[in-house]
Amino acid sequence: MNSLVRVRAGALAVVAMLAAGLLAGCDSDGKASGATAPPKSSAPAAPTPSADDKARALPESLTGQRPSWSSCKSSGWQCAEVKVPLDYAKPAGDTISVALVRKQARDKDKRIGSLLFNFGGPGGSGVEILPRAADTFSSLNSRYDLVGFDPRGVAKSSGVVCRDDKEQAEAERRIDATPDTAAEEAAFLKDGADFGAGCARRSGKVLPYVGTSNAARDMDLLRQVLGDAKLNYFGISYGTELGGTYAHLFPQRVGRAVLDAVVDPTADSVGHARNQATGFQRALEDYLKSTGQDPKQGTERIAGLLSRLDERPLPTASGRKLNQTLALTGIVMPLYSKESWPYLTQALAEVQERGTGNLLLAMADSYNDRSKSGGYGTQSHSQRAISCDDTKARPTAAQARALLPEFRRISPVFGEFLAWDTAGWCANWPVAGERDVPEASAPGAGPVLVVGTTGDPATPYEGAKKMADKLGAGVGVLLTNKGEGHGAYTKGNTCVLRTVDAYLLEGKVPANGSVCSS
């Protein structure tokens, strides 16, 4: 099944950045309006144990680990593994390994500590992404060890696997993500259930334990193993939900933390779908305006194209057909970054002028992590397992149908897909979800810098304000980036870069409500 609602947002933002290059932008003087520069913060005091610390009482065999680093990846990078409890309720029981990668700080004398990254998904591999994106974070590498990790259930950290390439390709070809008949609806829901059953067969040992709360507890163990008194953290997209969860569980352990492209902590699964319908429609209309088109008319044309593809998929040079779901996925991907909008123009022109779907299929394949040889990555497997472990919600087909009128009003292009996905994503999932919405309140934590971009399609700007509020007064510090695309720091906006770097490197906390303009 091809899902849109659980966007692999953070990882895709980095991929798009690497492909398109960085374009710098800032306001008139390159500083965040309203920013202040308090004195450089003093070294953090040793934190006091939190309630979660006391409850889990990890054995010294885990907390006393020291990673055995060895050379890997490109020059200057080291890899290691750390043991974590499979089940934190049984901390002395079975363990799994969490894979790490790091690049040590260049200035040893002014080293602050480790800076842990999560690039989103959920399911993005920090071990793979961080070395590829390292140039973006070069300024931070001056005083921090840059550290990426594969969260539990992801890639090298007991990665969840749910189906093979043949099954994935067959579902992509056969399953209609906007079912119009009883037969299509039954097939859609059965595919969701089959996916979950495949996860249980192939990854049953770890499947109940891959949720965000356990990943946050892993981060605190990593903090101890890396030798840091507090956790310094940079989370993008889903990484903001993970960071908010960590702050809630371990408020006294929070060091300098940045949450960029923020997931709304007040939204349940339907709320997230509604937010993304709004965000992607907003981005599509901004794209259409940029090409001189009327947003309403352009939206109608694209919705009409998708409707036609539901009945008559387009041919491609590969021999595969561009169906409705693949076309929508191909439209989604370039909306993550304004620099990628020209690719969408080329792809739509190809459809109009040649009646073929090569470019849209290529972008859909990139989004779906499909190689030219037909193999698929497993990020979508991990993404779904983590999401369904997190949420208690299991909307029915009837509930999804009831959402259709509202979601179609919000977005004639994306709404129907997102409404149906609420029912198909965790259909008959073999593991019960943990909670309704993530908890992010963090009384007693130090300032957390929350960065929201006004034109973000995948994690709409409104979620950043809600995260700052949820973290609490004196904790959540909102920085608004007036611009387009998913995420701010990775887009190279000079104002954002300077503000975030000043906070992470010098402890300079901007005024809550500061604004950067692209």
Side-chain angles (χ1 to χ4, degrees):
M1 179 172 132
N2 190 340
S3 173
L4 174 64
V5 65
R6 319 295 178 177
V7 290
R8 296 185 293 282
L12 282 175
V14 175
V15 171
M17 171 197 68
L18 293 172
L22 296 174
L23 297 180
C26 60
D27 59 7
S28 59
D29 62 358
K31 297 179 181 178
S33 59
T36 61
K40 182 178 176 181
S41 63
S42 59
T48 56
S50 70
D52 199 74
D53 290 327
K54 296 173 183 176
R56 62 199 182 108
L58 295 182
E60 196 278 335
S61 60
L62 296 177
T63 59
Q65 295 178 87
R66 289 296 175 264
S68 179
W69 297 102
S70 60
S71 297
C72 67
K73 307 295 177 186
S74 55
S75 176
W77 290 92
Q78 299 172 310
C79 291
E81 292 185 348
V82 170
K83 296 291 185 183
V84 301
L86 174 65
D87 180 359
Y88 274 91
K90 301 175 182 177
D94 291 347
T95 62
I96 56 175
S97 294
V98 169
L100 302 174
V101 67
R102 77 169 179 182
K103 189 170 190 179
Q104 291 180 286
R106 295 191 301 273
D107 191 337
K108 308 301 183 187
D109 294 334
K110 295 184 179 179
R111 179 182 177 274
I112 296 170
S114 303
L115 182 62
L116 192 66
F117 286 82
N118 183 280
F119 291 96
S125 168
V127 171
E128 292 299 322
I129 296 171
L130 182 56
R132 290 159 48 198
D135 286 350
T136 306
F137 306 103
S138 178
S139 59
L140 302 176
N141 194 208
S142 63
R143 300 187 64 195
Y144 285 103
D145 295 346
L146 304 184
V147 180
F149 72 112
D150 289 354
R152 56 173 57 214
V154 175
K156 294 182 179 180
S157 298
S158 300
V160 172
V161 177
C162 302
R163 56 178 29 159
D164 61 28
D165 292 341
K166 182 178 179 181
E167 292 169 323
Q168 192 102 335
E170 176 64 14
E172 195 175 84
R173 182 188 67 80
R174 184 176 58 85
I175 300 301
D176 188 339
T178 57
D180 306 303
T181 66
E184 288 180 348
E185 183 179 310
F188 172 75
L189 295 173
K190 183 178 184 299
D191 183 65
D194 288 348
F195 191 95
C199 297
R201 284 196 307 273
R202 293 175 169 91
S203 305
K205 178 181 178 181
V206 300
L207 195 62
Y209 305 106
V210 298
T212 298
S213 294
N214 280 327
R217 294 184 178 98
D218 289 344
M219 292 203 307
D220 197 57
L221 180 53
L222 295 178
R223 173 194 61 76
Q224 296 175 71
V225 169
L226 292 168
D228 293 311
K230 293 193 175 186
L231 180 76
N232 302 305
Y233 178 74
F234 201 131
I236 300 172
S237 195
Y238 161 78
T240 66
E241 181 177 329
L242 180 57
T245 300
Y246 180 89
H248 174 68
L249 291 175
F250 308 102
Q252 302 299 324
R253 307 275 189 194
V254 176
R256 298 173 187 172
V258 174
L259 308 181
D260 184 4
V262 185
V263 176
D264 180 354
T266 69
D268 59 11
S269 59
V270 172
H272 281 305
R274 186 180 289 109
N275 289 347
Q276 290 199 324
T278 301
F280 277 106
Q281 182 63 34
R282 183 186 294 161
L284 179 64
E285 291 178 3
D286 288 346
Y287 156 74
L288 291 167
K289 290 175 187 175
S290 77
T291 62
Q293 300 180 66
D294 176 78
K296 182 177 181 181
Q297 293 177 357
T299 293
E300 290 173 350
R301 283 194 294 272
I302 292 173
L305 166 64
L306 294 171
S307 181
R308 293 192 298 275
L309 290 176
D310 194 25
E311 299 294 331
R312 297 183 300 278
L314 289 179
T316 70
S318 68
R320 295 162 61 210
K321 297 287 188 179
L322 179 77
N323 60 26
Q324 183 189 44
T325 304
L326 286 169
L328 183 76
T329 307
I331 291 167
V332 160
M333 187 169 183
L335 293 178
Y336 279 90
S337 173
K338 187 175 182 179
E339 289 70 41
S340 297
W341 287 359
Y343 298 119
L344 180 54
T345 299
Q346 294 173 32
L348 293 174
E350 180 198 354
V351 171
Q352 177 68 28
E353 296 168 8
R354 302 180 186 176
T356 56
N358 294 299
L359 289 174
L360 281 178
L361 182 62
M363 289 190 287
D365 283 349
S366 180
Y367 183 96
N368 291 332
D369 202 12
R370 185 186 191 275
S371 69
K372 291 183 179 180
S373 63
Y376 292 82
T378 60
Q379 183 178 337
S380 62
H381 305 200
S382 303
Q383 179 187 37
R384 201 149 159 190
I386 294 167
S387 298
C388 296
D389 274 18
D390 279 351
T391 181
K392 291 180 180 178
R394 301 291 186 260
T396 65
Q399 289 170 318
R401 281 194 296 271
L403 293 172
L404 287 172
E406 176 198 0
F407 276 54
R408 285 170 177 150
R409 285 195 301 272
I410 294 171
S411 175
V413 172
F414 307 107
E416 187 173 353
F417 293 81
L418 288 160
W420 274 112
D421 201 56
T422 62
W425 185 251
C426 297
N428 293 319
W429 195 255
V431 176
E434 179 183 339
R435 34 68 170 178
D436 295 316
V437 296
E439 182 54 79
S441 60
V448 175
L449 185 56
V450 180
V451 187
T453 296
T454 54
D456 193 319
T459 53
Y461 169 75
E462 293 81 357
K465 177 66 165 64
K466 292 178 180 178
M467 175 65 84
D469 290 344
K470 191 77 171 179
L471 286 165
V475 180
V477 178
L478 180 64
L479 172 65
T480 297
N481 173 43
K482 290 186 175 181
E484 298 289 342
H486 185 52
Y489 192 91
T490 56
K491 296 297 187 292
N493 178 296
T494 303
C495 170
V496 172
L497 292 174
R498 288 179 178 175
T499 305
V500 172
D501 284 1
Y503 166 67
L504 287 174
L505 294 172
E506 305 297 337
K508 296 178 179 179
V509 182
N512 186 30
S514 296
V515 177
C516 287
S517 299
S518 296

